[in-house]
Amino acid sequence: MQLKLRHRGPDDEGLFEDPTRQCALAHTRLAIQDLSTAGQQPMESEDGRFVIVFNGEIYNFPVLRQELVRQGEVFRSQTDTEVLLKLYAREGQSFLPRLQGMFAFAVWDSFTKTLFLARDPLGIKPLYIWRLDQTVAFASEIRAVLQSDIGPRHLNTGALYHYLRMGSVQEPDTLIENISLLPPGHSLIWHNGQATLSRYWNLALTEDADPVEPINPAVAAELTRNALTQSVEKHFVSDVPVGVFLSGGLDSTALVGLASAAGHRNLQTFCISFDDDEFNEGGLAARTARHFQTDHTDVRFRPEEAAGLIEDYLSAIDQPCNDGFNTFCVSRAASQHGLKVVLSGLGGDELFGGYPSFRRIPQLTRLHRRAQQLPGRRLLGRLLERIGHGHRVRRLGEFLSSQGTVEDAWRTVRGFFTDLEARRILEWLLPGSQHDGGLPVQQTVTLMSTDEICQINELELTGYMRNQLLRESDVMSMASGLELRVPLVDQQLIDTVATIHSSVRLRPGKLLLAEAVPEIPEWIRNVDKRGFRFPFESWSRGPWKHLFRDIHSSCPVKCDTWYRLWLLFALQHFISTNRVEISLGKCAGLTYRTAAWVIGLTSCGFYTVSTVYMTRTAGRLALCRHLRQQRQRSVRMFACGRGCLRPTRSSLRNSPMFSSATDRSNSSCWTAGDRTSFMTTAFG
């Protein structure tokens, strides 16, 4: 488990094993606060009772530390980790609402044999938990949790369905059964094999402000300015230099402007630019950098370089998603220039209403209300979903046949495949799954708001940002040993801005943000929003074309955009590299199942590995048909008793993915002792 997280913490690592062999903790460290060995983790309390592993940053730890010093505490380090450890020893979990930062941490109580887990309010830092019977394993990435091997790696069909629908796995689910994410703003206590979940913070975007007389825009701008200034300033708390990802947009420019106003000089800023003017923001970023006198680095990106990075990017992926390559590339550039910490403008569009969804969703809900008067509305919708030309028309058809809620409209705007398309793909990937009763109904979100625009705001913050942007930003930055901080995704900032009525806070063009940060130059204010995008569509027809050849030829649903293709390709890669077990269901009359490994070399040159289940004869035939349908080439199968098909040792040795992935001796997970009360973890 620790080996799988070494990229997240290249500076140091440590291990702890409870003398009773009931708990083992592992940690890899990216040294940012107190660079000495005094900050090594796992960190034990002076009396040896408590042991902590911690991932993230507590920005207000100096204030909390001073409070503890006044109470008589003596510190051995200058780290926020030790502050957390002493707070828990004194107060238990009651101190969680006082923390300001991004965090996921665990504390083991060696006296009571109790494990305590906590995650930050907005879910910036991930915490994966695998619970099976009386055993629990947890880590910062799912591939590290899987190394504990405490149970079978069964594919979670429900999570897969929602992944196809929305382009990312929806929390708290993961693609592996029995593995989930600890929800943001929650803690968990594990004792005697039982888990107790508690919430300590909740996102509240209510309409408490008076909608008739909303707060004056000038007052709102001042309130927002103060909250932004405080957030940016505390995100600079570090014993190493802090850089900024600078694009041609409002959000990152606002961060640089606020940092400059606070007196931060010679900032290192980074941008990726392209030859294609449609995607190139390098000129705007360079002009902004000159304006604020930053030390600017522009990384020029060309298609042939993208092709050369694809294998490294695939190695960095944790759970599959359609996002992350842009963060992977710019993080790599920042790391190569010696940085360990960067700020990102992520979260500005969600908090201040910058996405087109804030306009399109009200248009869709109005359209649905008008269409309710038409006879045959649902029939027309189903017809468009089935035979509509283009994926947007098919998603519109699905919306017309729905209830027409804000959530339905949001899924139409943000969705990838319709319900019908997702089920067809599941039947293609998992033959027989339609007949097993395993496919879920549409997942719904419990919205706290009743106002339409606030509901969109809530969905973007908790649905899109949390499930996709935050998760991928963490994984892809940490792949280069880089800590990415997000000042616009800050609990105190959101709590403050949420008191401003949506009619002021969510004005078009992120007007509140622009008014709160007058340092933003005019050439940034007046440019149309483009977002931090890469020319993926042209790459999918050029240097990346070979990756999608098999999907084009065999997928039953038309993949007419790059992101549909990538979604399926990334899924295949996740299943292969993590040895996920897939049941073929009740196809071909299967009744008796035994496990088998199948290794195939696909046409794009990557090994694919999957686990399937089969009977002796019927299973072989069904498997062969399944593989032929997916057009996998150079498949080598070998019979070895009881109808199982397994690869030879030589084929395993020749597989680059199996050379380390199947070597259990490399795992840092301890499984000796009483498994009924065993715990293992790795943090980085």
Side-chain angles (χ1 to χ4, degrees), residues 34 39 60 117 166 183 192 196 234 247 278 313 327 363 397 488 510 548 557 595 610 625 636:
D34 189 345
N60 65 331
L117 302 171
M166 300 306 300
N192 288 334
T196 303
K234 68 187 178 187
S247 67
E278 181 183 354
Y313 173 54
T327 305
Q363 292 171 352
L488 301 182
K510 292 186 281 193
F548 310 124
V557 173
S610 59
R625 284 196 299 270
R636 297 153 77 183

Side-chain angles (χ1 to χ4, degrees), residues 1 107 145 152 204 233 249 308 436 463 476 499 544 642:
M1 293 175 73
V107 179
V145 177
E233 189 59 26
D436 281 347
M476 292 305 159
T499 63
W544 290 2
R642 299 201 62 162

Side-chain angles (χ1 to χ4, degrees), residues 258-513:
L258 288 164
S260 179
H264 295 280
R265 300 288 180 257
N266 301 316
L267 278 177
Q268 287 184 267
T269 54
F270 293 85
C271 177
I272 289 183
S273 61
F274 305 95
D275 295 330
D276 190 337
D277 290 339
E278 181 183 354
F279 302 92
N280 184 31
E281 292 188 319
L284 287 171
R287 187 178 179 186
T288 301
R290 289 193 298 270
H291 177 75
F292 290 109
Q293 299 180 336
T294 72
D295 180 6
H296 188 61
T297 299
D298 187 330
V299 181
R300 198 73 171 182
F301 219 71
R302 293 177 175 82
E304 55 270 18
E305 296 175 65
L309 283 176
I310 188 64
E311 289 195 49
D312 290 343
Y313 173 54
L314 289 172
S315 298
I317 290 176
D318 193 38
Q319 285 204 99
C321 186
N322 81 306
D323 205 354
F325 187 68
N326 47 7
T327 305
F328 172 80
C329 294
V330 72
S331 296
R332 187 177 235 197
S335 178
Q336 289 171 348
H337 281 76
L339 281 183
K340 286 186 176 182
V341 182
V342 292
L343 306 186
S344 165
L346 189 158
D349 287 313
E350 289 82 0
L351 186 57
F352 296 105
Y355 288 129
S357 58
F358 285 90
R359 300 186 305 275
R360 292 175 183 168
I361 290 175
Q363 292 171 352
L364 282 173
T365 55
R366 286 195 298 269
L367 172 65
H368 195 281
R369 287 193 292 270
R370 292 170 185 165
Q372 285 179 343
Q373 310 302 321
L374 298 175
R377 169 183 58 86
R378 291 182 182 274
L379 181 61
L380 174 62
R382 294 191 188 101
L383 187 64
L384 287 175
E385 183 184 0
R386 288 181 177 275
I387 65 173
H389 180 69
H391 62 94
R392 288 188 177 87
V393 175
R394 293 192 292 273
R395 293 211 306 270
L396 177 61
E398 180 186 34
F399 175 68
L400 287 174
S401 61
S402 72
Q403 296 295 318
T405 65
V406 169
E407 185 183 349
D408 291 329
W410 179 76
R411 293 184 186 280
T412 300
V413 171
R414 285 289 182 195
F416 280 63
F417 294 99
T418 66
D419 172 74
L420 181 62
E421 290 172 330
R423 292 175 185 273
R424 289 179 64 192
I425 292 173
L426 279 177
E427 181 64 24
W428 170 59
L429 295 172
L430 310 173
S433 61
Q434 300 277 26
H435 311 294
D436 281 347
L439 295 189
V441 296
Q442 180 61 62
Q443 190 179 48
T444 58
V445 179
T446 302
L447 297 173
M448 304 295 292
S449 308
T450 57
D451 175 68
E452 183 177 72
I453 200 72
C454 282
Q455 287 184 342
I456 301 169
N457 196 190
E458 191 174 341
L459 286 165
E460 294 289 16
L461 283 166
T462 62
Y464 178 59
M465 184 183 75
R466 180 187 298 167
N467 289 317
Q468 184 162 316
L469 300 184
L470 288 177
R471 186 186 306 160
E472 293 309 302
S473 293
D474 174 79
V475 170
M476 292 305 159
S477 60
M478 293 301 282
S480 296
L482 184 75
E483 181 176 273
L484 188 144
R485 299 180 177 180
V486 281
L488 301 182
V489 187
D490 178 79
Q491 177 194 339
Q492 286 70 39
L493 171 64
I494 291 177
D495 284 344
T496 299
V497 175
T499 63
I500 302 171
H501 193 264
S502 59
S503 63
V504 176
R505 176 167 53 88
L506 301 175
R507 284 173 291 167
K510 292 186 281 193
L511 193 55
L512 177 58
L513 177 62

Side-chain angles (χ1 to χ4, degrees), residues 548-568:
F548 310 124
R549 188 177 297 123
D550 289 341
I551 296 173
H552 268 308
S553 61
S554 58
C555 182
V557 173
K558 187 176 181 181
C559 293
D560 46 2
T561 63
W562 72 266
Y563 49 82
R564 286 185 162 208
L565 289 167
W566 180 261
L567 208 63
L568 296 177

Side-chain angles (χ1 to χ4, degrees), residues 4 7 128 130 141-149 151-155 169 174-177 179 314-321 475 569-582 597-598 607-611 655-658 660-662 664:
K4 283 290 184 180
H7 58 279
Y128 292 91
W130 194 356
E141 295 183 3
I142 195 171
R143 51 188 165 179
V145 177
L146 288 170
Q147 290 302 303
S148 67
D149 278 330
R153 304 180 178 193
H154 292 314
L155 184 67
V169 184
T174 73
L175 286 176
I176 308 296
E177 289 183 359
I179 299 181
L314 289 172
S315 298
I317 290 176
D318 193 38
Q319 285 204 99
C321 186
V475 170
F569 177 77
L571 172 65
Q572 182 187 45
H573 178 266
F574 174 82
I575 291 172
S576 301
T577 56
N578 292 289
R579 297 180 285 123
V580 180
E581 300 178 5
I582 304 176
W597 294 109
V598 179
Y607 281 88
T608 61
V609 184
S610 59
T611 303
S655 167
M657 291 185 178
F658 266 76
S660 59
T662 58
R664 302 278 178 101

Side-chain angles (χ1 to χ4, degrees), residues 607-660:
Y607 281 88
T608 61
V609 184
S610 59
T611 303
V612 294
Y613 294 87
M614 65 209 71
T615 56
R616 298 186 182 181
T617 303
R620 293 185 192 178
L621 296 175
L623 177 62
C624 290
R625 284 196 299 270
H626 177 66
L627 293 173
R628 280 199 301 271
Q629 288 170 0
Q630 301 201 32
R631 297 172 182 259
Q632 295 193 33
R633 296 163 174 78
S634 304
V635 176
R636 297 153 77 183
M637 296 179 291
F638 304 86
C640 61
R642 299 201 62 162
C644 288
L645 306 178
R646 300 177 187 268
T648 61
R649 287 184 180 271
S650 61
S651 63
L652 283 175
R653 282 197 301 270
N654 293 333
S655 167
M657 291 185 178
F658 266 76
S659 59
S660 59

